[in-house]
Amino acid sequence: MKAKPGRPAVLMDVAVLAGVSTMTVSRVLNSPDLVRAETRARVLAAVRELDYRPNQAARQLVTGRSGVLGVVSIDTTLYGPASTLYCIEQAARHAGYNVSIASLSSLNRRSMEEGVQRLRTQAVDGVIIVAPHESAADGLRHLPPEMPVVAVDAGDDIPVPVAKVDQAAGAARVTRHLLSLGHRSVWHVAGPADWLDANDRIEGWRGVLEAAGRPVPDVLRGDWSARSGYQLGRRLAGDPEVSAVFVANDQMALGVLRALREAGRRVPEDVSVAGFDDIPESAYFWPPLTTVRQDFGAVGRHAFHLLLDRMAGAEPEARRLIEPELVVRESTGAAPGATPV
């Protein structure tokens, strides 16, 4: 049963879809420990399907919960983390929750503990931690056990559920695309060594080259900025062997494009260039940039629903991977003298 078009779902809609009483739905939402796991899972699935939003004022009177979620994130204007934070906030607000954000200058055990403690003083019902750095792993292992927590963009060996884009799959996809155009190998301009996303993209890129029996060039490390891409692009432009470059984000790709143009290397006739992120401006680079699109909206929604499950006492899946999408534009083309596969 779906809610009638034009009106939001109500408690009865959830009860009918889940095949339980309204009292059971209320218990799942307010006192989940009193409900069997199988019933609880069925009710939570109905809540998600109907996009049911509890009346927060009434719910707070019954449960003592605040209706506020906390988010811990690094203070950055980088497109990926900033977009992730925005989409988490939108998903939570769409479901009737307010959001309190603790922005940190760095992500380590001490700063994360301080950020979570700051949010606990605001009586948040649960916390989402955006943790793209290697240094965040230790902090995620030492969080208060009574606080419902999920992470975004975190590593593989942490004890909380994680929602993230499959970075290695995106890098593999764009590398295979470049090889299919006849390029002998693909050079890589990577992000900083302490960023998990950067290292996952290296893994995906290298895995495709090794599986295809192609040479694996040395990784060039940038800092996500267009300036670092430009500096590394100048090195690449001077190497006549370079015919394809995968850059770990679109901002660095912008710098690579400029360096190649200044050196007289045409894109894509002489060198193909691909990025990662699909920032809004990438379609307007010259030439328009082939890149990998990340669905930050899906990341935000999945992280929010994982947290809802934790808050309801359920055991959500340990890892939810979102598949990225290859967006092919005019910056990639056939290798010089080659016939695309």
Side-chain angles (χ1 to χ4, degrees):
M1 172 185 173
K2 297 281 188 180
K4 292 181 179 179
R7 74 163 175 83
V10 296
L11 199 72
M12 177 61 76
D13 298 324
V14 176
V16 171
L17 182 60
V20 298
S21 68
T22 55
M23 183 176 293
T24 298
V25 175
S26 180
R27 283 177 179 154
V28 168
L29 296 175
N30 300 318
S31 303
D33 293 341
L34 301 179
V35 184
R36 289 185 308 160
E38 179 184 349
T39 303
R40 190 168 58 213
R42 199 161 68 244
V43 170
L44 290 172
V47 167
R48 286 193 290 270
E49 182 175 340
L50 294 171
D51 196 21
Y52 172 65
R53 308 178 204 177
N55 182 305
Q56 292 299 330
R59 187 175 177 183
Q60 186 170 353
L61 288 174
V62 174
T63 66
R65 293 183 180 179
S66 65
V68 178
L69 303 182
V71 179
V72 175
S73 178
I74 189 169
D75 185 11
T76 179
T77 58
L78 286 171
Y79 180 72
S83 298
T84 300
L85 180 59
Y86 172 78
C87 291
I88 291 170
E89 186 174 11
Q90 289 299 105
R93 292 193 186 282
H94 182 71
Y97 285 88
N98 291 317
V99 176
S100 181
I101 299 172
S103 295
L104 309 178
S105 58
S106 62
L107 282 175
N108 52 50
R109 178 176 174 180
R110 179 175 179 180
S111 67
M112 288 175 62
E113 287 176 347
E114 290 174 351
V116 170
Q117 183 58 36
R118 195 188 321 160
L119 293 171
R120 292 183 76 188
T121 63
Q122 301 173 40
V124 298
D125 296 329
V127 177
I128 297 173
I129 298 178
V130 183
H133 287 180
E134 297 274 6
S135 57
D138 188 46
L140 288 168
R141 296 188 191 99
H142 294 87
L143 294 172
E146 69 277 9
M147 173 63 70
V149 173
V150 302
V152 171
D153 292 339
D156 296 329
D157 57 345
I158 60 170
V160 301
V162 176
K164 63 186 295 186
V165 171
D166 192 337
Q167 305 291 336
R173 199 161 293 168
V174 70
T175 305
R176 282 193 293 266
H177 164 67
L178 290 165
L179 292 183
S180 75
L181 295 171
H183 297 281
R184 176 171 171 267
S185 189
V186 178
W187 276 251
H188 184 43
V189 176
D194 62 336
W195 281 74
L196 294 163
D197 288 354
N199 294 326
D200 286 348
R201 292 169 198 175
I202 290 173
E203 179 185 328
W205 160 79
R206 178 179 285 123
V208 169
L209 293 182
E210 289 177 346
R214 304 299 180 88
V216 181
D218 292 338
V219 172
L220 302 177
R221 289 276 189 182
D223 62 8
W224 299 128
S225 70
R227 182 178 67 175
S228 70
Y230 173 73
Q231 292 167 342
L232 295 170
R234 292 181 66 181
R235 290 171 56 182
L236 292 168
D239 185 346
E241 294 294 316
V242 174
S243 71
V245 184
F246 162 44
V247 190
N249 78 336
D250 292 349
Q251 289 291 343
M252 292 194 297
L254 177 61
V256 170
L257 289 172
R258 176 173 173 175
L260 291 170
R261 187 177 304 114
E262 288 182 356
R265 305 287 300 274
R266 298 170 300 164
V267 176
E269 292 86 355
D270 301 322
V271 182
S272 288
V273 177
F276 206 107
D277 280 342
D278 194 30
I279 64 175
E281 298 83 3
S282 63
Y284 301 95
F285 288 4
W286 188 254
L289 185 67
T290 291
T291 186
V292 177
R293 178 180 297 151
Q294 303 190 72
D295 189 345
F296 295 111
V299 174
R301 291 190 298 272
H302 285 306
F304 170 69
H305 285 299
L306 286 172
L307 185 59
L308 281 188
D309 287 347
R310 287 298 294 265
M311 288 162 50
E315 286 296 329
E317 58 193 289
R319 187 163 304 276
R320 192 167 294 178
L321 289 176
I322 293 89
E323 285 295 315
E325 176 188 357
L326 177 65
V327 180
V328 177
R329 299 193 179 104
E330 288 89 338
S331 66
T332 53
T339 302
V341 178

